[in-house]
């Protein structure tokens, strides 16, 4: 597939989506957003795990504010502005698509992840960050509200007090502190970032794909559900998992004391 502002590669059943406008720290433009949306569908249909990363020295600086190519139209008459439409029509559908992916996905974060870029970076099933990564809820610095699900995700992960601090101050959160707070999974040397993320994604790609998809669904359900709903969700998903050939293979491998060879079926 040919793209202008992203790169897509499928390697050993791992789909790699790279935001690819390093001169702007991969700021989100209308073209990039549309390409991301298309690429996610392509990878979900042709791979068994996904990595999202950014080219150059930063992951993503958020929405483009370049007057010549903004993500959101900004008419001079403020009463005519509705930046929320960009969320409704473009960014929120991407985040919902990622939440409902049939495969696990990982973010590989180098340098700055700001604004929606931070929301995207922190929403991965697994977040691998280089030691120079920073996460910035930059919105208050430009008079906007956090988006991309950040208020939901951060509040439920690090609590109200820390979330308020990050969002009201707009201060940088360094990778080591994000790891300490439980916002990310791993911090690695900068030169090892891509390989570490790929190794992790490849392990997922060789796993029981349907079961991993169901695990993702169960965890997302549990984020918002009460105890009883989570129990019922687990019951329903377990039925589906138990009917897969990967389950049969997993049991056989356990009994035969060998490594399982999952096919994602």
């Amino acid at each position: 597939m040919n793209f202008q502002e992203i790169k897509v590669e499928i390697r050993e059943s791992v789909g790699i989506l790279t935001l690819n406008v390093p001169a702007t720290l991969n700021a989100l433009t209308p073209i990039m957003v549309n390409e991301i949306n298309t690429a996610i569908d392509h990878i979900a249909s042709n791979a068994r795990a996904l990595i999202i990363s950014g080219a150059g020295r930063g992951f993503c600086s958020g929405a483009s504010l370049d007057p010549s190519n903004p993500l959101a139209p900004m008419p001079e008459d403020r009463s005519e502005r509705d930046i929320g439409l960009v969320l409704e029509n473009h960014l929120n559908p991407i985040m919902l698509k990622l939440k409902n992916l049939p495969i696990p996905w990982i973010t590989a974060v180098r340098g700055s992840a700001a604004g929606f870029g931070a929301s995207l970076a922190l929403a991965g099933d697994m977040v691998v960050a280089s030691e120079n990564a920073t996460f910035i809820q930059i919105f208050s610095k430009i008079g906007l509200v956090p988006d991309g699900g950040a208020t939901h995700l951060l509040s439920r992960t690090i609590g109200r007090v820390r979330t308020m601090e990050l969002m009201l101050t707009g201060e940088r959160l360094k990778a080591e502190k994000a790891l300490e707070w439980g916002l990310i999974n791993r911090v690695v040397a900068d030169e090892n970032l891509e390989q570490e993320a790929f190794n992790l994604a490849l392990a997922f790609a060789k796993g029981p794909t349907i079961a991993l998809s169901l695990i993702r669904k169960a965890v997302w359900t549990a984020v918002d559900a009460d105890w009883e709903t989570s129990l019922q969700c687990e019951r329903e998903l377990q039925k589906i998992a138990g009917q897969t050939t990967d389950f049969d293979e997993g049991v056989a491998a356990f009994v035969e004391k060998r490594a399982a060879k999952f096919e994602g079926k």
Side-chain angles (χ1 to χ4, degrees), residues 187-201:
V187 177
V188 301
D190 186 63
E191 63 269 21
N192 297 334
L193 177 65
E194 283 80 10
Q195 190 61 52
E196 184 76 16
F198 182 77
N199 290 344
L200 185 57

Side-chain angles (χ1 to χ4, degrees), residues 30 33-34 37 71 85-95:
V33 167
N34 288 333
N37 194 46
L71 182 60
L85 281 175
V86 173
L87 304 181
E88 181 180 346
N89 295 331
H90 300 288
L91 299 184
N92 289 354
I94 285 176
M95 299 308 285

Side-chain angles (χ1 to χ4, degrees), residues 4 10 17 57-58 64 66 108-109 112 115 121 125 129 153 178 187 208 222 229 243 245 251:
Q4 297 180 55
I10 296 181
L17 191 168
R57 60 189 179 88
S64 171
D66 182 346
V109 186
S112 176
D125 298 331
L153 180 67
V187 177
T229 300
Q243 294 175 346
T245 57
V251 172

Side-chain angles (χ1 to χ4, degrees), residues 193-215:
L193 177 65
E194 283 80 10
Q195 190 61 52
E196 184 76 16
F198 182 77
N199 290 344
L200 185 57
L202 185 59
F204 289 149
K206 292 180 178 179
T209 306
I210 296 173
L212 297 182
S213 176
L214 298 175
I215 289 169

Side-chain angles (χ1 to χ4, degrees), residues 137-142 144 146 160-171:
Q137 297 296 317
I138 197 70
F139 303 93
S140 64
K141 298 291 189 181
I142 58 172
L144 288 178
R160 178 185 61 84
V161 173
R162 285 173 171 167
T163 298
M164 284 288 193
E165 178 181 356
L166 292 178
M167 293 184 174
L168 294 178
T169 65
E171 293 177 350

Side-chain angles (χ1 to χ4, degrees), residues 8-263:
V8 172
E9 175 189 1
I10 296 181
R11 189 194 321 159
E12 298 185 63
S13 296
V14 174
I16 304 170
L17 191 168
T18 305
L19 311 182
N20 191 34
V21 189
T24 65
L25 296 181
N26 304 309
L28 295 159
T29 66
I31 288 175
M32 182 184 286
V33 167
N34 288 333
E35 290 184 344
I36 291 171
N37 194 46
T38 299
I40 291 171
D41 289 338
H42 174 71
I43 291 172
S45 299
N46 293 279
R48 293 173 61 186
L50 163 68
I51 298 171
I52 296 181
S53 65
R57 60 189 179 88
F59 178 77
C60 177
S61 57
S64 171
L65 299 177
D66 182 346
S68 66
N69 192 24
L71 182 60
M74 289 184 282
E76 291 188 13
D77 185 346
R78 290 193 295 272
S79 67
E80 295 180 1
R81 293 181 197 160
D82 186 357
I83 297 177
L85 281 175
V86 173
L87 304 181
E88 181 180 346
N89 295 331
H90 300 288
L91 299 184
N92 289 354
I94 285 176
M95 299 308 285
L96 287 170
K97 184 172 291 188
L98 289 169
K99 174 177 180 278
N100 294 317
L101 268 182
I103 57 176
W105 69 290
I106 297 165
T107 51
V109 186
R110 170 180 286 109
S112 176
F116 181 85
S119 302
L120 179 63
L122 294 170
D125 298 331
M126 299 280 287
V127 183
V128 181
S130 75
E131 53 200 358
N132 67 7
T134 58
F135 304 87
I136 317 168
Q137 297 296 317
I138 197 70
F139 303 93
S140 64
K141 298 291 189 181
I142 58 172
L144 288 178
V145 175
D147 57 31
T151 55
H152 181 283
L153 180 67
L154 268 66
S155 295
R156 286 160 171 75
T157 305
I158 61 175
R160 178 185 61 84
V161 173
R162 285 173 171 167
T163 298
M164 284 288 193
E165 178 181 356
L166 292 178
M167 293 184 174
L168 294 178
T169 65
E171 293 177 350
R172 294 174 179 268
L173 180 67
K174 294 183 178 180
E176 287 292 347
K177 181 64 72 173
L179 180 65
E180 178 186 328
W181 284 4
L183 263 178
I184 66 177
N185 299 94
R186 301 180 186 179
V187 177
V188 301
D190 186 63
E191 63 269 21
N192 297 334
L193 177 65
E194 283 80 10
Q195 190 61 52
E196 184 76 16
F198 182 77
N199 290 344
L200 185 57
L202 185 59
F204 289 149
K206 292 180 178 179
T209 306
I210 296 173
L212 297 182
S213 176
L214 298 175
I215 289 169
R216 297 187 71 256
K217 184 173 182 179
V219 172
W220 273 111
T221 297
V223 168
D224 295 318
D226 57 28
W227 176 249
E228 289 78 8
T229 300
S230 292
L231 289 174
Q232 183 60 28
C233 176
E234 291 171 354
R235 179 261 177 273
E236 293 170 358
L237 298 180
Q238 198 70 290
K239 176 182 178 181
I240 299 171
Q243 294 175 346
T244 63
T245 57
D246 278 343
F247 173 63
D248 289 340
E249 166 62 9
V251 172
F254 178 82
V255 171
E256 297 166 14
K257 295 182 172 57
R258 60 173 173 81
K261 297 179 180 179
F262 295 117
E263 297 180 354

